Amino acid sequence: MTRGMLLGAAAMALMAGQQMPAHAQAQAELAAITPPAKAFPQDPGSDYFLANYTQYEAYLKQLAQQSTRMKLVDIGKSAEGRSQWMAIVSSPANLARLDHYRDIARRLAKAEGLTSEQAQALAKEGKAVVWIDAGMHATETVTTQSQIQVLYRMLTMDDAETRRILDDTIILFAQANPDGLELVADWYMREADPKKREFRSIPRLYQKYIGHDNNRDSYMSQMPETTNINRVLFREWFPQIVFNQHQTGPAGMIVFVPPFRDPFNFNYDPIVMTELSEVGSAMHSRLLAENKPGSGMRSAAPYSTWHNGMERSVAYFHNSIGLLTEIIGGPTPENIPLIPDTQLARNDEPLPVAPGEWHLRDSLEYQWSLDRAVLDYASRNRERLLFNIYRMGANGIARGNRDSWTVTPADVDAVKTAGASKTSSAGATAPATPVEPARARGSVDPALYDKILRDPAKRDPRGYIIPAGQADMPAVVTFLNALFKTGVDVERATADFTIAGKRYPAGSFVVKTAQAYRPHVLDMFEPQDHPHDVEYPGGPPKAPYDVTGYTLAYQMGIGFDRILDGFDGPFERVPDLLAVTPGAIKGKGGAGWLIDHRANNSFILSNRLLKAGVPLFWLEGPTRVAGESFGPGTIWVPASAAAKPIIAASVRQLGIDAIAVARAPAGRTLALKPVRVGLVDQYGGVMPSGWTRWLLEQFEFPFQVVYPQELDAGNLNAKFDVLLFSDGTVPAPANGPYRAGRESSMPKPEDIPAAYRPWLGKVSDDRTVPQIDAFARAGGTVVTIGGATRLAPLLKAPLQPALVKETAGKVEKLDTKEFFIPGALLRAKVDSAQPLAYGMPAEVDLFFDRSQSFRTVGDAAGVARISWFDQPRPLRSGWALGQEKLQGTTAVADVDIGRGKLFVMGPEVVQRAQPYATFKFLFNGLLYGPAVAATR
């Protein structure tokens, strides 16, 4: 029975002179809602069954028609074009006033123009907003199947707790990865025999481009699903709790539940962490009260709160409580192993679970308890949650309007060093006395607090100014849009202005820190200073959860000024996402056009011209035209009827200029040619290759994906000009000097559809490398990034890894106690006169994640050093142990291999498609290598 049928029954009762009691009408509605067991081919949560997204979508639409407790909203399209649905669940009375409650949530979260008294009044009136998603990582099947059952229960249960939750809260149930759910469920269900069903062997990534990294895109918002989610979280609904559900749980346990282990990021408001502990405790307590053992927290798993890129962690920088659970289970029953250490109760594992068989239905019941615990907490603490998100936002505004300091490990180390120096000069520290308790033994001179921790020169900025007229303004727009997508307020100057004695042009951008999302602003502009986190004093470093240094402004090469004192000017708030300022054709010469190489968008124009068969050149030396200087690599397009309309249309769209000149520039040129790029991948998908595929599409490079079997077959020069090996595409021995990426097993050919069998296989030393070598020596270009640089010595390039040791005649990676850089930004020199670095500045920030650096061997003939580390402390953001070992080593090299080229890029120059400042290493290589080969 639909909602309309129920209302019709009520009307008929009235016409017959009967009064249908409100309670009876409500009960009739609840009873009429279709249960999952009747809506799906099999009850979601039962063994050997997975509902796909098509079925889930149909059920959502059915529920929306049947229930007055739910409103269905399309929040945008997925990468493959599916609608990403969000079910808003609350009481009918609340749903009737959704816009009103959403406005209250917005006003409190943004905290602008509100007094404490006004905020308290709004908090008393408002409703707590809770986001609960599912399916971000599609092979983590518990979350999607449980959400179906949770929705049904929330729409049909009529107990006192449910009614209170519906009255006090507005719940946003969302599906984070529609495409992945469809792929994984269909792959699992393709087998008629339930016992043969599995999804470990899916042939590609479960997000079109980036698979598991869809939970690393939160501050960048490059994927459509991330953009959709961030818009809901930080621009439309502003939930106080963001619950991001995952699996799998720690071995020998059922589920990991917050709170998390350190380190604690120094930018966000501490209230969000204490509230996070409260919610986590409520979740554990509910499991225990319901006799559901096996939950763990903190040290039970490696999850921390440092990195901003994940959905639940980006919430912290927006004053929202970010929750992560990791639970075991799946449609195929499994066994909980007996791990002795997990059987000993402790604070972080309060109630051990017995080993035994486990079913998906068991996980669903745990997930239901966890969801209910979160919702019960939100209901009971509604006013406090609403007021505290205002308080944190108001704190951010206040801190941005006054002198403030963020204390980091480097500051604390400076105090300790200064304190030790004073203690040493004054003599040994006296033993503790009753007046000076033992806990004060580590104390130092209190004057160091003001001298070091409150040094005026180390104040947090009041804001950042991004001057107009930078070499790559489209990249600036992309950076600002990343901020805007995460709810940050951005302003633009309407006229020239002067701050701290410096003149800025109209069109410059301003990001002030006096805003509610100040923690996120600081995290995107300021360097991360990760603590020196070790397993035990003097022990090896403890691996962080994801990367440690990621300052987006550094990665993207954005020029900005930190303003330490209060300032204002002729600024207006940017209302929505920015478009690039249209470029233009300047000058009236008829010989052709010059285009600056420094803007990444110049490669889009170049690819369009090459696709049309237009002659295209790079100038090898600098040139000067009409008073304007151009560096090496300037693009030269001779005048032609084919070129003119492409340039005219593209410069406007791409935000770059073309200079029409009267005569062709003097000096040597390099003639470009259309290129055939083979992007190497493997069965199951390699995430860095997927990111690179997305990047190549954005910049309109022609390419096709190539798999190891095709490489092994040889004759590669007939098909490709360039072979591109992303990190993770070249297997490497364990404990060797090269990072190998995630290990994955290949299914048997007979176990998968015939269409996918050509994708099987891996790059191998014995079969693949000889074909790559022949390809390069015959004039092909081989581009290697990250761990794929293992190919350099295999191709007999005169390069050897520098960050190694020799043990019993075997070359191994350095011990982590000697050298450990787990995802950080390092400053490196660049030779921008070399074609591989055309358009780049003299220094750049490189993303370095357990990467390799190189030294030349022999006479090094045919090796050009493109980028290198010239100082003992290149760290710019993150954590680096033993960084001095990098000094003098080569990060990026250009190597002649026969008639072809090998480009060796040890750092991740296209890391998650974020470091716009280093994209040109790759883009130049794709065009430069084939151009050189054509002239040999």
Side-chain angles (χ1 to χ4, degrees):
M1 184 178 291
T2 67
R3 190 180 344 186
M5 294 169 65
L6 286 166
L7 294 175
M12 291 177 63
L14 288 172
M15 291 173 61
Q18 301 172 356
Q19 182 72 37
M20 177 180 283
H23 180 69
Q25 183 177 336
Q27 290 295 317
E29 178 189 326
L30 300 182
I33 294 175
T34 305
K38 292 185 178 180
F40 293 86
Q42 193 172 327
D43 193 15
S46 55
D47 290 346
Y48 302 109
F49 173 74
L50 286 180
N52 67 17
Y53 190 72
T54 298
Q55 296 163 340
Y56 176 65
E57 180 181 43
Y59 188 54
L60 286 176
K61 293 178 179 179
Q62 187 176 23
L63 292 178
Q65 287 294 314
Q66 293 176 336
S67 177
T68 57
R69 294 180 178 180
M70 173 178 155
K71 179 179 180 180
L72 191 59
V73 178
D74 182 349
I75 65 173
K77 299 300 180 186
S78 69
E80 295 178 16
R82 292 180 175 86
S83 291
Q84 194 170 358
W85 293 104
M86 180 175 74
I88 305 176
V89 173
S90 192
S91 69
N94 291 344
L95 290 179
R97 305 186 69 202
L98 272 185
D99 290 345
H100 175 67
Y101 292 122
R102 181 169 56 188
D103 185 61
I104 289 176
R106 178 192 62 80
R107 293 179 65 191
L108 289 170
K110 298 299 282 186
E112 289 183 308
L114 287 180
T115 65
S116 180
E117 292 74 17
Q118 290 170 328
Q120 286 173 339
L122 287 172
K124 186 173 183 178
E125 181 184 0
K127 305 298 179 182
V129 182
V130 181
W131 164 279
I132 302 178
D133 64 21
M136 177 166 280
H137 295 153
T139 53
E140 299 172 3
T141 54
V142 170
T143 63
T144 56
Q145 307 304 300
S146 69
Q147 191 179 76
I148 295 167
Q149 301 288 355
V150 170
L151 266 172
Y152 174 72
R153 293 182 186 184
M154 291 302 298
L155 298 181
T156 58
M157 291 176 61
D158 200 36
D159 59 285
E161 183 182 56
T162 300
R163 291 195 301 271
R164 172 170 52 78
I165 288 171
L166 292 172
D167 285 342
D168 291 339
T169 70
I170 295 170
I171 314 159
L172 311 177
F173 287 104
Q175 172 55 236
N177 183 9
D179 304 336
L181 173 55
E182 191 81 356
L183 170 67
V184 169
D186 286 352
W187 188 262
Y188 182 82
M189 296 299 294
R190 78 189 194 283
E191 292 282 0
D193 182 354
K195 297 297 178 69
K196 292 183 178 180
R197 291 175 183 167
E198 53 81 31
F199 47 74
R200 293 184 302 277
S201 67
I202 57 172
R204 62 179 180 85
L205 298 172
Y206 51 65
Q207 195 276 352
K208 182 177 179 180
Y209 297 102
I210 63 174
H212 197 87
D213 266 0
N214 62 354
N215 198 27
R216 300 299 184 273
D217 185 43
S218 285
Y219 63 70
M220 194 70 185
S221 297
Q222 306 219 76
M223 295 298 115
E225 297 91 345
T226 318
T227 298
N228 297 338
I229 290 170
N230 280 345
R231 186 178 59 252
V232 173
L233 297 183
F234 309 126
R235 298 176 60 196
E236 292 180 352
W237 268 105
F238 309 93
Q240 297 86 49
I241 298 177
V242 174
F243 189 0
N244 183 215
Q245 301 179 342
H246 290 267
Q247 67 182 98
T248 187
M253 302 170 65
I254 303 301
V255 62
F256 175 87
V257 180
F260 304 97
R261 73 173 178 92
D262 283 332
F264 183 106
N265 192 293
F266 313 113
N267 287 323
Y268 44 65
D269 194 295
I271 294 175
V272 79
M273 284 293 104
T274 55
E275 288 188 329
L276 169 63
S277 295
E278 290 177 21
V279 187
S281 294
M283 297 163 79
H284 284 283
S285 293
R286 187 161 188 132
L287 291 176
L288 299 180
E290 295 177 0
N291 195 29
K292 292 175 177 172
S295 65
M297 66 192 92
R298 283 182 294 260
S299 63
Y303 313 114
S304 70
T305 59
W306 180 263
H307 183 235
N308 195 330
M310 295 165 280
E311 182 191 294
R312 59 94 183 175
S313 61
V314 74
Y316 309 139
F317 300 88
H318 294 76
N319 305 320
S320 294
I321 303 167
L323 302 174
L324 167 83
T325 52
E326 298 270 355
I327 195 167
I328 69 169
T332 301
E334 61 186 81
N335 285 302
I336 303 169
L338 174 60
I339 298 179
D341 286 345
T342 66
Q343 293 300 310
L344 191 62
R346 61 191 184 101
N347 277 333
D348 288 357
E349 300 174 49
L351 181 59
V353 64
E357 190 172 65
W358 192 261
H359 297 266
L360 180 57
R361 180 70 64 186
D362 300 322
S363 296
L364 264 57
E365 291 306 316
Y366 269 66
Q367 199 69 62
W368 165 247
S369 298
L370 293 167
D371 287 1
R372 288 287 280 199
V374 172
L375 295 173
D376 180 53
Y377 175 90
S379 169
R380 294 180 184 275
N381 294 275
R382 175 183 61 83
E383 287 189 42
R384 195 159 63 88
L385 282 170
L386 287 164
F387 183 78
N388 277 352
I389 201 170
Y390 156 78
R391 173 52 59 207
M392 288 184 277
N395 287 345
I397 293 171
R399 289 168 184 148
N401 276 325
R402 65 171 187 257
D403 286 347
S404 61
W405 288 261
T406 300
V407 177
T408 73
D411 301 320
V412 172
D413 288 344
V415 174
K416 288 179 179 179
T417 300
S421 176
K422 286 194 172 187
T423 300
S424 176
S425 64
T429 303
T433 68
V435 178
E436 181 189 6
R439 59 185 169 81
R441 284 178 180 171
S443 66
V444 297
D445 184 354
L448 295 175
Y449 182 87
D450 287 331
K451 182 178 180 180
I452 296 177
L453 299 185
R454 290 298 180 266
D455 180 352
K458 294 183 178 181
R459 286 171 291 163
D460 293 332
R462 300 286 184 93
Y464 305 90
I465 298 176
I466 301 173
Q470 297 191 32
D472 194 350
M473 285 304 294
V476 170
V477 168
T478 301
F479 170 74
L480 291 168
N481 280 340
L483 297 182
F484 198 90
K485 288 177 183 179
T486 52
V488 170
D489 295 325
V490 177
E491 296 175 292
R492 178 166 39 199
T494 58
D496 295 354
F497 64 100
T498 300
I499 300 292
K502 183 174 178 178
R503 191 73 171 166
Y504 296 93
S508 296
F509 294 95
V510 174
V511 183
K512 292 185 178 180
T513 58
Q515 55 179 296
Y517 294 162
R518 177 179 181 271
H520 189 75
V521 173
L522 293 176
D523 213 47
M524 294 296 97
F525 281 96
E526 298 294 309
Q528 282 80 41
D529 183 8
H530 192 281
H532 181 60
D533 191 16
V534 294
E535 295 286 352
Y536 50 85
K542 185 183 297 185
Y545 191 66
D546 214 77
V547 304
T548 65
Y550 47 87
T551 309
L552 190 57
Y554 290 2
Q555 289 197 72
M556 297 188 70
I558 306 302
F560 65 91
D561 291 328
R562 302 168 78 250
I563 309 301
L564 299 186
D565 295 311
F567 69 101
D568 212 339
F571 309 144
E572 64 179 8
R573 184 75 59 88
V574 176
D576 209 333
L577 293 177
L578 292 156
V580 296
T581 300
I585 295 177
K586 298 181 178 180
K588 297 183 179 180
W593 301 269
L594 291 175
I595 297 130
D596 197 324
H597 203 112
R598 292 178 296 172
N600 285 331
N601 276 3
S602 68
F603 289 95
I604 300 177
L605 174 56
S606 296
N607 286 325
R608 291 175 181 176
L609 292 167
L610 289 170
K611 183 178 181 181
V614 171
L616 193 65
F617 303 86
W618 288 347
L619 304 183
E620 294 190 12
T623 190
R624 188 171 178 82
V625 175
E628 189 169 353
S629 295
F630 294 86
T634 297
I635 301 162
W636 163 240
V637 187
S640 69
K644 187 174 182 179
I646 296 173
I647 291 176
S650 295
V651 294
R652 287 190 57 80
Q653 177 196 359
L654 301 175
I656 57 178
D657 294 331
I659 312 300
V661 297
R663 58 180 179 273
R668 296 178 56 183
T669 62
L670 183 64
L672 303 185
K673 54 166 280 188
V675 294
R676 301 166 300 166
V677 177
L679 175 62
V680 178
D681 208 334
Q682 69 181 36
Y683 188 94
V686 177
M687 285 186 292
S689 181
W691 276 113
T692 305
R693 177 161 51 96
W694 179 83
L695 191 62
L696 295 180
E697 288 180 8
Q698 305 314 300
F699 287 89
E700 301 183 16
F701 279 93
F703 72 95
Q704 71 178 68
V705 178
V706 58
Y707 293 91
Q709 288 184 47
E710 189 172 358
L711 296 176
D712 293 347
N715 194 28
L716 297 171
N717 300 84
K719 305 173 186 176
F720 305 107
D721 301 299
V722 181
L723 291 176
L724 172 51
F725 292 84
S726 299
D727 183 61
T729 58
V730 179
N735 205 42
Y738 300 95
R739 193 178 49 169
R742 294 191 177 190
E743 184 60 33
S744 60
S745 59
M746 294 285 156
K748 296 178 180 178
E750 61 270 23
D751 290 340
I752 62 173
Y756 299 115
R757 292 171 190 168
W759 297 8
L760 294 172
K762 297 183 179 181
V763 171
S764 63
D765 293 5
D766 58 340
R767 298 186 61 182
T768 316
V769 171
Q771 300 300 338
I772 299 170
D773 184 77
F775 168 77
R777 295 185 185 282
T781 295
V782 179
V783 180
T784 62
I785 302 174
T789 57
R790 178 173 176 264
L791 289 175
L794 294 176
L795 296 176
K796 299 181 174 58
L799 293 172
Q800 288 296 329
L803 307 171
V804 296
K805 63 181 179 181
E806 190 168 325
T807 304
K810 185 178 180 182
V811 176
E812 298 180 344
K813 66 181 180 180
L814 293 172
D815 187 272
T816 57
K817 292 175 69 173
E818 299 178 68
F819 184 85
F820 188 64
I821 304 182
L825 300 179
L826 309 180
R827 196 70 164 170
K829 289 288 188 181
V830 178
D831 184 355
S832 55
Q834 296 281 352
L836 196 59
Y838 279 166
M840 296 188 68
E843 291 188 323
V844 73
D845 292 318
L846 294 171
F847 184 84
F848 192 101
D849 185 7
R850 301 177 179 86
S851 308
Q852 190 53 256
S853 202
F854 295 88
R855 298 189 190 279
T856 56
V857 294
D859 61 6
V863 177
R865 185 172 67 166
I866 308 302
S867 181
W868 63 96
F869 300 106
D870 71 326
Q871 56 180 305
R873 300 186 64 82
L875 179 66
R876 282 267 280 170
S877 180
W879 182 21
L881 177 62
Q883 57 180 304
E884 66 279 356
K885 297 181 184 300
L886 288 166
Q887 188 172 17
T889 67
T890 297
V892 179
D894 174 348
V895 184
D896 291 333
I897 302 287
R899 292 170 44 218
K901 285 285 187 182
L902 168 67
F903 299 137
V904 179
M905 306 176 190
E908 277 285 336
V909 298
V910 292
Q911 153 74 6
R912 292 172 176 161
Q914 294 175 13
Y916 276 57
T918 57
F919 287 173
K920 279 186 274 291
F921 284 132
L922 171 61
F923 294 168
N924 284 332
L926 297 179
L927 296 175
Y928 157 55
V932 171
T935 62
R936 290 180 172 175

